[in-house]
Amino acid sequence: MSAPDPAAAPRDHGSASAAVEPQVAPAQLVRLANFGQEMSSPESRKLAEWVVDSADNGKLPFMIIDKVQARVFMFDAQGQLRGAANALLGLAVGDDSVPGIGQRKLSSIRPAERTTPAGRFVASLDRDIHGQEVLWVDYDSALSLHRVVTGQPKERRAERLATPSPLDNRISFGCINVPVKFYENVVSPSFTGTNGIVYILPETRSAREVFGSYDVQDSSRKQAAAKVAPAADASAR
C-alpha cells in the first residue's frame, strides 16, 4: 500500500478546543455637550451630556442652573455652550416650592420658604407685572430668571454676583438673578421666538431622582461591553 498523499488529506480549519478571539463591537458614538473652555461641576457636565445624548430638550435651546455652584450655563439646541455666568438663588436650601407660593405677597414668604426648586421646566420670555422682560421658568410658582435686582443696596446683589465664591449667592425669594449683560446678550437672544428648557439641578436629591438621567459615558461603556460576543466556531458550520 502506498502512503496516503498528504495533499489529499482534509485540512483542519479549526476545532472546538481552539482559542477563540472575541469580536468587539465598536463603541457606540456618544454625543456630548460642548462646554468649550468653561469650567463646570461634574454634576452640570453629566446632566448636559445626558440632555444631548437623550435629546430630552426636544431640539430646543436649554439652560442648566447649578445651585450648589451658583452658575448658569446656556446651550443652543445642539448642546453648544452660548455663555455662562454666576447667579443669585433662593435664600433657603431646598428643591421644592411651597404650594401656592406664586399667589402670595413677597412680604408673607418666610426665609425658610425662599427656595429655588429643582426640576425640568419649559421656559419662555414674557413681561412681569412691572413690564420688564423676564424668562418665566414656572409661571404658576412665580419663578423667573431675570437681570439682577439692585433696589435694596443692603443686599449687595451685584457685589455678590461678582465674587468667585458661591457661598454668598443665596439671597433671593427664589428667582434666579443673573448679570445684566449675560441676560441681554445670552439669555434673551437664546429664547427670543422660541421656548426652551431650563434644568435646575437639585441640592438635596440626586439628578437621577429628579430627571431620570444617566451617566452618558458610563452607559456607553456598558453598552459596548454588552456587545462583546465570541466568534462562531468555524468547524461547527
Side-chain angles (χ1 to χ4, degrees):
M1 295 177 63
S2 60
D5 183 358
R11 292 178 181 147
D12 184 9
H13 291 285
S15 65
S17 60
V20 176
E21 292 294 329
Q23 292 181 338
V24 181
Q28 183 178 358
L29 180 64
V30 176
R31 297 183 300 160
L32 300 177
N34 182 11
F35 279 80
Q37 301 300 312
E38 188 67 39
M39 299 295 293
S40 66
S41 68
E43 291 75 19
S44 291
R45 193 167 293 269
K46 287 180 180 180
L47 184 65
E49 291 175 349
W50 168 75
V51 171
V52 174
D53 185 68
S54 65
D56 187 78
N57 59 315
K59 299 182 180 180
L60 294 174
F62 67 95
M63 173 187 289
I64 290 177
I65 299 174
D66 186 333
K67 291 196 288 179
V68 174
Q69 298 300 319
R71 292 284 285 171
V72 174
F73 302 94
M74 185 73 230
F75 296 89
D76 67 15
Q78 290 72 46
Q80 300 296 311
L81 186 71
R82 299 195 65 177
N86 291 339
L88 301 181
L89 302 155
L91 175 68
V93 172
D95 292 321
D96 300 293
S97 289
V98 175
I101 197 167
Q103 286 71 52
R104 290 168 56 184
K105 294 181 178 180
L106 290 180
S107 58
S108 73
I109 301 175
R110 298 186 297 273
E113 298 175 322
R114 299 173 188 179
T115 57
T116 298
R120 178 188 187 276
F121 304 91
V122 179
S124 61
L125 298 174
D126 209 331
R127 302 283 172 177
D128 63 12
I129 59 174
H130 306 292
Q132 185 79 7
E133 182 192 274
V134 301
L135 179 68
W136 281 111
V137 179
D138 184 33
Y139 188 83
D140 289 341
S141 62
L143 177 64
S144 67
L145 180 147
H146 51 71
R147 303 167 183 84
V148 61
V149 174
T150 58
Q152 296 290 335
K154 65 180 182 180
E155 292 183 339
R156 301 182 300 104
R157 292 199 180 196
E159 290 87 341
R160 290 171 185 269
L161 275 177
T163 64
S165 172
L167 299 179
D168 60 354
N169 289 45
R170 309 303 290 259
I171 188 66
S172 79
F173 282 80
C175 288
I176 304 101
N177 288 215
V178 295
V180 174
K181 287 185 178 180
F182 178 73
Y183 183 91
E184 294 178 349
N185 297 338
V186 178
V187 176
S188 185
S190 296
F191 284 88
T192 295
T194 181
N195 290 338
I197 309 298
V198 173
Y199 299 89
I200 303 180
L201 279 164
E203 53 189 337
T204 63
R205 301 196 296 273
S206 70
R208 185 184 297 270
E209 289 179 86
V210 174
F211 305 108
S213 56
Y214 52 81
D215 186 328
V216 170
Q217 299 194 57
D218 181 60
S219 175
S220 176
R221 287 195 295 271
K222 289 180 179 178
Q223 290 173 14
K227 293 181 180 179
V228 175
D233 186 352
S235 63
R237 290 178 184 168

